[in-house]
Amino acid sequence: MRGGTSLLDEAFRKVARDRAKHTAMVYLGERYRFRDLEDLVDRLARGLERLGVEAGERVLLYMPHCPQWVVTWLALRRRSAVAVPVSPQYGPRDVAYVARDAGASVLFCADTLFGYAARVQQEAGLRCVVVTGIGDLLPWWKRAVGKALDRLPAGRVRLSGTVFTFRELLAGSTRARRPSEPAEGAEGAEGLCELLYTGGTLGHPKGVPISEPALLESMQIQRETSLGAVPLGSDVVIQGAALYHILGQAQGLGALLAGETLVLLPRMNWDAFLDHIQRYRVTTLFGTPTLYRTILEHPRLDAYDLRSLRYCFSAGDALPPDMSRRWKARFGLEIHQGYGATEACGAISMTPAGQPFPEGTVGRVVRGREVRIVDPETLRPCSPGEPGELLVSGPHLPTAYWNRAEETRRAFPTYEGRVWYRTGDILRMDTDGWLYFVDRSADLIKKRGYRVAPARVESVLQEHPAVIAACAVGVPDAEVGERIKAFVVLKEDLRGISAYELLRWCRERLAPYEVPDYIEFRDMLPKSKVGKLLRRELREEERRKWEQAMRVR
């Protein structure tokens, strides 16, 4: 089989040999041992070879959590191809944009998303689509029962000469055989492990090229920090953050590459989630602060035994101190915090398990990372303890966005003779090296751990024929961190448009977490002397309202 040497594939092969009989994954009640997973990965890698997938070729993963997601990701590493994971919440416009931007030629999708995938194939010129059902890797009798009881959702699929099924690739079907030819632009992708897309300040997601050494290091760092709570080889991790996010990969895929067990659910159902923690004696829980708040406030929490938990980790947004105190009072466990970014391939700082740490800290800088805290305007170093913008650098970290020269110049400056990533976030460091999050970057909205670009929301609103101008900002919210509020100016002759109609317009064009929670109509929006939209004024106006409301309470 062709394809270059892969560090991640070598690591997985070793784990599969050493832990062959150990449970690698649990999904819908089915256990998959490491030797089962290795067999599936090898068979799919051979199927990819028959499709002509070469080293460096970009392949989209457009599926909810399921074993097929993991198998496909690992098989792409065996072929030294580049994974491009996208959210299953994305609509066809977003997926087509990512496909074109990444130069992808193949898409793996769930059958429930096939209608969208077919549109993407046509719009982005994809060479082929591979379709899977969420129960494809379950035993035949479970598939039959699930189908009979209508418990396994399925979509309508039209097979053709360019549309194949996951199962036929595993089976070695000759129908999937195609001439092997390098993908256009594959040379430019040499050395890439994957492209992770994150919110773009110009309104479109932007690709972050992730190398194998960077991702492997990130996974190892994540596991090292939990060793004080869970000994190596004994961890059972439940997937609490998306596999298309760097946090979800560092924890979830990292568990597999450490030879430990990963528990997957096809969608987030909170009773099922808590039941899985109880049933499979989960030891590691991770996710955004929203996950912990939702569990604490779940009306049936007392019905579940969560005493197996040993390590809890939160990232993606600032963890309110009162929530951390409530969690410890309820379960006797600390919630360990971390701070990071996709552009830093995960963690920048973390609080190690088994060691005391001050309240409110996001940890100490992890190995393989250097940070500077600087004045965001001048990039001059801040005095010790003074808040400033955090810059991060490391030998394996990304130094550019994919195909984004303008945003690369802004976000990856050369400083002290090397490239750093400007996080845009304001932090401070105390004399003992503990980092504290002070404020998020000015414009990006953090909602349920997602980073939402205001420009993207505004662009969609302004496509509506009745809208002349729009501005989106984050407004404080105790439950989800921030909610999205859009301020809209309508054209003079089209003032009868309702907020409901604009929200429906947004739902058809944005991911669910990007849709505004509120819309307010204005006669005009604040702008600078040069015509630049002043989001800060609206954001500060909403913050004052929120603070006043909190005082009244």
Side-chain angles (χ1 to χ4, degrees):
M1 185 183 304
R2 286 186 288 174
T5 302
S6 162
L7 293 174
L8 289 164
D9 184 48
E10 288 181 349
F12 174 67
R13 287 177 186 269
K14 183 178 186 308
V15 163
R17 287 195 305 270
D18 295 347
R19 305 278 284 174
K21 296 182 180 179
H22 187 76
T23 299
M25 287 189 298
V26 178
Y27 177 75
L28 296 181
E30 193 68 20
R31 292 179 179 269
Y32 302 82
R33 295 168 297 183
F34 273 96
R35 67 184 182 190
D36 301 325
L37 186 54
E38 161 62 21
D39 176 63
L40 290 166
V41 170
D42 195 60
R43 286 159 58 194
L44 185 63
R46 295 181 186 281
L48 291 171
E49 183 178 28
R50 289 191 298 276
L51 283 181
V53 174
E54 296 292 332
E57 191 166 356
R58 274 79 73 202
V59 178
L60 275 78
L61 277 64
Y62 187 36
M63 299 177 271
H65 289 169
C66 59
Q68 298 91 297
W69 199 107
V70 176
V71 170
T72 303
W73 193 91
L74 289 168
L76 290 172
R77 296 315 312 134
R78 189 153 295 184
R79 292 294 301 156
S80 294
V82 178
V84 186
V86 293
S87 168
Q89 296 186 61
Y90 273 9
R93 292 197 342 168
D94 288 322
V95 180
Y97 171 82
V98 170
R100 289 191 296 265
D101 187 69
S105 52
V106 179
L107 182 149
F108 277 71
C109 74
D111 56 4
T112 52
L113 296 169
F114 177 74
Y116 286 171
R119 287 172 57 182
V120 172
Q121 181 179 20
Q122 183 176 11
E123 293 176 17
L126 298 176
R127 178 158 56 84
C128 61
V129 171
V130 180
V131 187
T132 187
I134 66 168
D136 271 359
L137 294 183
L138 296 175
W140 68 267
W141 62 270
K142 281 193 176 182
R143 295 199 306 275
V145 171
K147 185 175 180 180
L149 298 179
D150 197 25
R151 300 295 295 272
L152 292 177
R156 299 182 65 180
V157 177
R158 297 183 304 276
L159 298 180
S160 68
T162 61
V163 177
F164 308 96
T165 69
F166 191 90
R167 290 175 63 82
E168 71 181 296
L169 289 189
L170 288 180
S173 167
T174 56
R175 192 183 81 83
R177 190 174 300 277
R178 294 179 59 85
S180 203
E181 53 186 25
E184 183 180 351
E187 295 82 1
E190 186 177 356
L192 273 183
C193 165
E194 63 181 351
L195 281 172
L196 292 182
Y197 276 77
T198 186
T201 58
L202 298 180
H204 286 296
K206 52 190 185 293
V208 180
I210 304 294
S211 70
E212 284 206 316
L215 186 56
L216 191 56
E217 180 182 61
S218 183
M219 292 173 173
Q220 291 167 346
I221 289 169
Q222 199 79 37
R223 187 61 181 97
E224 287 168 7
T225 60
S226 65
L227 287 176
V230 187
L232 190 65
S234 64
D235 211 2
V236 180
V237 177
I238 191 163
Q239 191 70 39
L243 280 168
Y244 54 83
H245 279 178
I246 190 64
L247 170 61
Q249 293 192 355
Q251 285 275 20
L253 296 177
L256 293 175
L257 290 179
E260 296 170 320
T261 301
L262 177 64
V263 179
L264 287 174
L265 283 81
R267 60 186 180 87
M268 185 56 81
N269 175 289
W270 289 106
D271 281 295
F273 190 82
L274 295 172
D275 178 70
H276 276 60
I277 295 175
Q278 173 180 284
R279 183 185 302 270
Y280 299 108
R281 312 302 297 159
V282 167
T283 50
T284 288
L285 172 67
F286 69 96
T288 66
T290 300
L291 177 140
Y292 291 95
R293 179 181 296 278
T294 304
I295 291 175
L296 283 170
E297 296 178 356
H298 192 279
R300 292 175 293 280
L301 178 58
D302 289 340
Y304 300 98
D305 179 1
L306 307 187
R307 287 176 296 176
S308 63
L309 290 175
R310 294 289 177 268
Y311 177 70
C312 302
F313 179 75
S314 173
D317 206 348
L319 181 73
D322 69 306
M323 192 189 307
S324 185
R325 290 192 290 267
R326 286 176 59 197
W327 187 268
K328 187 172 183 179
R330 178 68 175 75
F331 297 107
L333 295 171
E334 300 280 3
I335 299 179
H336 293 269
Q337 285 197 72
Y339 169 76
T342 304
E343 292 86 345
C345 197
I348 296 172
S349 65
M350 298 178 72
T351 56
Q355 300 180 23
F357 55 88
E359 184 177 80
T361 184
V362 292
R364 286 190 170 117
V365 178
V366 300
R367 67 174 175 86
R369 312 286 190 268
E370 283 192 52
V371 304
R372 299 287 186 271
I373 296 179
V374 302
D375 183 296
E377 299 296 329
T378 65
L379 296 190
R380 290 177 181 171
C382 292
S383 303
E386 181 184 0
E389 182 177 358
L390 186 136
L391 312 183
V392 61
S393 184
H396 303 306
L397 301 190
T399 57
Y401 289 119
W402 181 266
N403 293 335
R404 289 295 187 90
E406 181 181 342
E407 294 204 15
T408 293
R409 283 191 293 272
R410 179 192 59 77
F412 293 93
T414 299
Y415 178 78
E416 297 181 346
R418 56 183 159 144
V419 176
W420 297 72
Y421 169 60
R422 295 189 63 167
T423 64
D425 291 330
I426 306 301
L427 288 89
R428 64 177 178 86
M429 182 184 289
D430 69 15
T431 54
D432 294 322
W434 294 105
L435 280 169
Y436 296 83
F437 185 87
V438 177
D439 200 3
R440 61 179 48 88
S441 52
D443 289 335
L444 287 178
I445 301 167
K446 282 283 189 76
K447 179 180 178 181
R448 299 188 185 275
Y450 292 102
R451 298 200 304 176
V452 179
R456 174 167 169 73
V457 179
E458 292 158 6
S459 176
V460 167
L461 281 167
Q462 287 168 174
E463 289 175 5
H464 193 285
V467 175
I468 193 171
C471 178
V473 300
V475 297
D477 183 271
E479 182 179 350
V480 299
E482 286 185 309
R483 292 194 185 273
I484 303 168
K485 184 169 185 176
F487 297 85
V488 174
V489 178
L490 297 176
K491 294 178 182 177
E492 288 284 347
D493 56 340
L494 292 170
R495 291 294 180 95
I497 300 299
S498 68
Y500 174 81
E501 181 172 340
L502 292 182
L503 289 173
R504 184 176 61 185
W505 174 272
C506 289
R507 290 189 190 101
E508 293 172 353
R509 292 162 175 81
L510 293 170
Y513 58 84
E514 295 175 315
V515 175
D517 298 282
Y518 319 105
I519 289 182
E520 181 175 325
F521 294 104
R522 294 274 180 109
D523 291 327
M524 64 179 64
L525 299 175
K527 293 185 179 181
S528 69
K529 292 180 180 179
V530 295
K532 185 177 180 181
L533 193 63
L534 296 177
R535 291 194 187 95
R536 180 179 296 177
E537 288 192 10
L538 293 171
R539 188 165 52 246
E540 291 177 353
E541 179 185 322
E542 292 300 315
R543 184 176 292 275
R544 286 194 298 270
K545 290 180 185 176
W546 181 78
E547 289 173 349
Q548 183 177 359
M550 295 300 289
R551 284 196 296 270
V552 171
R553 289 183 185 179

